[in-house]
Amino acid sequence: MTKLINQNIPFEIIFRDGAFILVGIAPEYEYVDNQRTDKVIGFKYEVVDTMNFDKITVKVRGQKKPLMPLEKLLELRESGEKVLVEFIKGVDKLYIRRNGNIQTVEDSFSAENINIIEQE
């Protein structure tokens, strides 16, 4: 396991299907000296894996605007529609979180971009 720490693991290795159900969108803010600033450096997408239904959050840094406004996503979800998305160059980077004497291995999901999968 320690060999995987800080290594980029492509989504294709982790997730059987490249499609995810989009359930949330939020800005990602820059932090300076562990303090959040007002500067938006990208967006975080909360998604559900379509095979195992695992919920994850994927950061897409550098985006100037989100895939869609959160209000539109909520509107679509309330009307029963699923928004399927795929991530471009998605990776999971494992890291060790230390809390006192306790260490845990955590996931950090990121991607270069996100696209809507058109449904027929």
Side-chain angles (χ1 to χ4, degrees):
M1 175 68 92
T2 57
K3 289 184 179 185
L4 295 177
I5 302 298
N6 292 321
Q7 299 296 316
N8 288 332
I9 304 166
F11 276 11
E12 294 81 22
I13 292 174
I14 303 166
F15 303 105
R16 296 173 108 189
D17 184 10
F20 297 86
I21 301 168
L22 182 62
V23 296
I25 302 170
E28 181 183 8
Y29 294 96
E30 180 177 57
Y31 281 77
V32 176
D33 298 325
N34 291 326
Q35 296 292 319
R36 189 180 105 172
T37 68
D38 291 333
K39 182 178 179 184
V40 175
I41 58 171
F43 289 88
K44 299 184 284 189
Y45 295 92
E46 188 174 17
V47 296
V48 176
D49 167 27
T50 59
M51 296 297 290
N52 298 321
F53 303 106
D54 293 327
K55 188 184 279 189
I56 64 171
T57 300
V58 181
K59 297 174 185 176
V60 179
R61 292 200 170 124
Q63 276 191 321
K64 302 296 181 206
K65 62 180 191 169
L67 184 64
M68 69 177 62
L70 178 59
E71 297 76 23
K72 180 175 181 179
L73 174 62
L74 295 176
E75 217 174 83
L76 290 168
R77 293 195 63 217
E78 284 177 13
S79 69
E81 291 187 50
K82 290 184 182 108
V83 178
L84 292 178
V85 296
E86 64 183 352
F87 291 99
I88 309 303
K89 296 188 179 178
V91 295
D92 180 10
K93 191 171 194 173
L94 300 176
Y95 66 97
I96 295 175
R97 179 184 297 244
R98 290 176 175 83
N99 186 359
N101 292 332
I102 299 171
Q103 294 186 59
T104 57
V105 176
E106 304 286 334
D107 295 285
S108 177
F109 297 102
S110 63
E112 286 187 11
N113 210 344
I114 182 173
N115 292 323
I116 293 178
I117 298 174
E118 297 298 327
Q119 301 177 52
E120 298 176 6

